[in-house]
Amino acid sequence: MSDGFDLGEPPQPKGAAYRVLARKYRPQTFSELIGQDAMVQTLGNAIKRDRLAHAFLLTGVRGVGKTSTARLIAKALNCIGPDGQGGPTIDPCGVCEPCRAIAEGRHIDVIEMDAASHTGIDDIREIIEASRYAAVSARYKIYIIDEVHMLSKAAFNGLLKTLEEPPGHVKFLFATTEVNKVPVTVLSRCQRFDLKRIPADLLADHFARVVKAEGVEAEGDALALIARAAEGSARDGLSILDQAIAHADIEGGAVNAAAVRDMLGLSDRGAIRALFAALLAGEAAPALAALRQQYDLGVDPAAVMKTLLETVHGVTLAKLGADMGAGQAAEEREALADWAAGLSFPALHRLWQLLLKGHEEVSRAALPIETAEMALLRVIHAASLPDPGELARQIATGATPTAPALPDRAATPAESALPSSVAALADLLEGASRHVLAAGVRNRLRPVRYDPPELVMSSAVPMPADFARDLATDLRTITGRAWKVTSDPAQGEPTLVEQAAAVKDAERAAVLASPIVAAAMDHFPDAELIGWTNSKRA
């Protein structure tokens, strides 16, 4: 036993510091750079043909890979290959000394500068002086200036001459999120690449590979939520994913959609669909209750209004038959399709304007939840107001304006009676003074399937472009039910006019075939059958 003090266990060496996912999975090759295929192809062709510009300008929103791309270009231009004999390539080896030094940020000939903290002419003067000297060990001396738009006017002016006629061994790589602040004189001296926002489906696939590499379980819906929240930024998405993994259960729990939604303060999509349905139905109490439920769960009222706007946009895309994007649940697609069948474009535009105004008011209001409630009540009130186009038609025909602007309000028992046949449908339109639509139904509509409130008509007979939309809108007004009117390439059944003509032709043939008429026609060959009486109908 020693005579000295017991100092306990000696200090243990600290482990390597944790690297956030956004840094750990920074692209090291062009193949790892997602969503920028056009730029990679252009750079590859330029390198192969030895048509390299002396200055590149990389623009785009945050987190799409501007600085990473600049470093990849530096590696591509200075790579010497594993054997030390290689030249510029779009596929840098990553193992030679220049590649490793550039990746680790220690290459003496690749100088990175943050324009946010080096904005003056003195900083640029140092670059101009240093650019005159050849590279120490690399093929090219490369200057990477991040957020270049923050340089002062004097700094930009000082750079112009060198930028226009740089030494052959120098390349400039500029990155900026605000290209509109870069002088035109600089833009004209650079080869510009606009890096696009990364699509949500590509981000979700990328995050799936990351969580697999990290040994973390994650639901596909959770990754889709993170991808949408990233708004096209890989860095933002990886930061959110980092947080979601930390938010998950410590005992190996999976990253699930509910936890991500709570973490981000997003509205539950099912609850939003219920709220949207209540708005369309003009049901104030359920709509306000649904809003308060989201608020009590910690969802920002502005986020609810934003999600309602996204829903209106989704319905509009569904009505146009456009792709509604990846990561959308089947039940949401079905709901959007149903609403699209019953909502007209004027109603959708009106909904958008009302909700957009509400979102703006909520975002700057001193009482956000109260303002959101008033905004939703304004939308509900609009359900009782006549649509401008319908109002004009009713005034022209002298009818009483009663058409609601929004569909799916609760139907009365009288409204629930739907026409049982296409003929009854035409009569209903005629009785409601929809003479043009009634004529179209009788003369040109060939039904493929009639199952009210759904009508599928043949596209074999050309119809006016707005016929299906106007028919659905007016039938909703008349019956109080949302109608779905679509077309199909099948021939369908004969039109009502064709059916009536066929009946008349059959009756004529039967009359001519009767013994008395046939004998008379034989006796008088030039006689014509002008008319007859149908005893069954009489």
Side-chain angles (χ1 to χ4, degrees):
M1 185 173 184
S2 71
D3 296 333
F5 293 104
D6 184 5
L7 299 179
E9 293 291 330
Q12 301 297 317
K14 294 183 179 180
Y18 175 69
R19 295 178 68 199
V20 296
L21 297 181
R23 292 188 59 196
K24 185 175 181 181
Y25 292 96
R26 200 166 199 165
Q28 298 300 317
T29 64
F30 281 105
S31 61
E32 296 177 4
L33 192 66
I34 58 176
Q36 312 299 341
D37 297 341
M39 180 198 68
V40 174
Q41 182 178 357
T42 302
L43 282 173
N45 293 339
I47 291 174
K48 289 177 183 177
R49 299 171 184 174
D50 195 22
R51 299 179 63 88
L52 291 169
H54 56 268
F56 298 88
L57 178 68
L58 307 170
T59 75
V61 298
R62 71 204 181 280
V64 293
K66 298 183 296 297
T67 306
S68 296
T69 299
R71 292 175 181 172
L72 290 176
I73 293 174
K75 289 168 65 174
L77 297 183
N78 286 321
C79 177
I80 59 175
D83 59 358
Q85 304 299 316
T89 173
I90 195 64
D91 296 311
C93 66
V95 298
C96 66
E97 176 56 26
C99 283
R100 289 188 288 109
I102 293 171
E104 295 169 7
R106 57 179 175 82
H107 201 293
I108 192 172
D109 292 317
V110 178
I111 301 97
E112 291 193 35
M113 187 183 88
D114 177 21
S117 54
H118 300 81
T119 62
I121 182 63
D122 291 337
D123 300 301
I124 294 301
R125 188 176 290 116
E126 291 181 9
I127 292 178
I128 295 172
E129 292 296 327
S131 67
R132 298 176 181 176
Y133 301 100
V136 176
S137 61
R139 186 178 294 112
Y140 293 103
K141 179 178 284 189
I142 295 178
Y143 291 94
I144 300 175
I145 303 181
D146 200 11
E147 299 301 336
V148 69
H149 67 274
M150 301 192 74
L151 290 178
S152 66
K153 182 177 180 180
F156 274 125
N157 289 336
L159 187 61
L160 286 179
K161 185 62 177 177
T162 302
L163 193 60
E164 184 171 12
E165 298 178 357
H169 60 271
V170 173
K171 302 290 182 185
F172 289 98
L173 303 177
F174 302 141
T176 178
T177 54
E178 299 184 52
V179 68
N180 58 300
K181 294 184 179 180
V182 178
V184 176
T185 50
V186 173
L187 293 176
S188 65
R189 290 167 168 81
C190 300
Q191 190 172 95
R192 174 173 168 175
F193 291 102
D194 291 88
L195 279 69
K196 302 181 297 182
R197 289 182 184 270
I198 305 171
D201 55 342
L202 292 183
L203 281 177
D205 292 341
H206 179 57
F207 298 156
R209 293 191 292 270
V210 169
V211 294
K212 183 178 180 180
E214 291 289 305
V216 176
E217 295 291 331
E219 296 178 357
D221 289 346
L223 298 180
L225 283 173
I226 294 173
R228 287 201 296 269
E231 296 182 340
S233 169
R235 183 174 64 235
D236 286 9
L238 287 171
S239 298
I240 297 172
L241 180 60
D242 226 339
Q243 183 181 356
I245 293 173
H247 188 75
D249 185 67
I250 298 177
E251 301 296 330
V255 177
N256 59 72
V260 170
R261 188 176 290 110
D262 291 342
M263 182 187 77
L264 297 176
L266 297 176
S267 302
D268 179 72
R269 304 296 296 190
I272 287 296
R273 289 196 296 273
L275 172 56
F276 190 71
L279 289 178
L280 296 183
E283 298 173 348
L288 296 187
L291 174 64
R292 278 286 177 175
Q293 183 181 24
Q294 290 293 291
Y295 181 71
D296 293 340
L297 291 174
V299 180
D300 184 11
V304 175
M305 302 299 291
K306 179 182 178 182
T307 311
L308 286 172
L309 281 166
E310 291 173 349
T311 303
V312 175
H313 181 251
V315 174
T316 307
L317 291 181
K319 192 169 185 66
L320 290 171
D323 181 17
M324 291 180 282
Q328 199 169 56
E331 58 269 19
E332 183 162 0
R333 288 180 178 271
E334 183 178 349
L336 294 180
D338 288 343
W339 287 324
L343 278 163
S344 65
F345 284 113
L348 285 169
H349 296 325
R350 193 175 195 177
L351 261 176
W352 177 266
Q353 293 299 327
L354 288 168
L355 290 172
L356 184 62
K357 180 176 176 59
H359 179 267
E360 293 172 353
E361 293 172 349
V362 171
S363 299
R364 61 173 184 265
L367 302 171
I369 183 61
E370 290 80 0
T371 305
E373 289 178 337
M374 297 303 293
L376 294 188
L377 288 175
R378 185 167 59 220
V379 174
I380 292 170
H381 175 67
S384 63
L385 299 178
D387 178 86
E390 179 60 26
L391 179 60
R393 284 195 294 270
Q394 291 181 343
I395 292 174
T397 58
T400 302
T402 58
L406 302 178
D408 292 342
R409 59 181 174 82
T412 65
E415 292 174 326
S416 300
L418 299 176
S420 58
S421 65
V422 176
L425 177 69
D427 293 339
L428 179 67
L429 291 168
E430 197 72 51
S433 299
R434 307 306 202 272
H435 304 295
V436 174
L437 286 175
V441 170
R442 294 185 190 280
N443 297 326
R444 308 187 68 178
L445 188 146
R446 287 186 175 178
V448 175
R449 185 173 71 255
Y450 181 71
D451 184 17
E454 182 178 1
L455 169 62
V456 180
M457 58 185 184
S458 173
S459 59
V461 178
M463 301 291 284
D466 297 334
F467 181 82
R469 183 198 67 190
D470 293 344
L471 182 59
T473 300
D474 284 14
L475 287 175
R476 182 182 73 249
T477 299
I478 297 167
T479 65
R481 296 283 300 277
W483 281 70
K484 183 177 182 180
V485 181
T486 57
S487 60
D488 189 275
Q491 288 295 319
E493 300 176 6
T495 66
L496 293 178
V497 170
E498 290 171 341
Q499 293 177 29
V503 170
K504 187 174 182 179
D505 289 344
E507 291 179 353
R508 177 185 176 85
V511 171
L512 289 173
S514 65
I516 297 176
V517 176
M521 296 298 287
D522 289 341
H523 192 73
F524 302 100
D526 295 332
E528 295 181 6
L529 181 62
I530 298 177
W532 66 91
T533 300
N534 189 329
S535 59
K536 293 182 179 180
R537 287 189 296 180

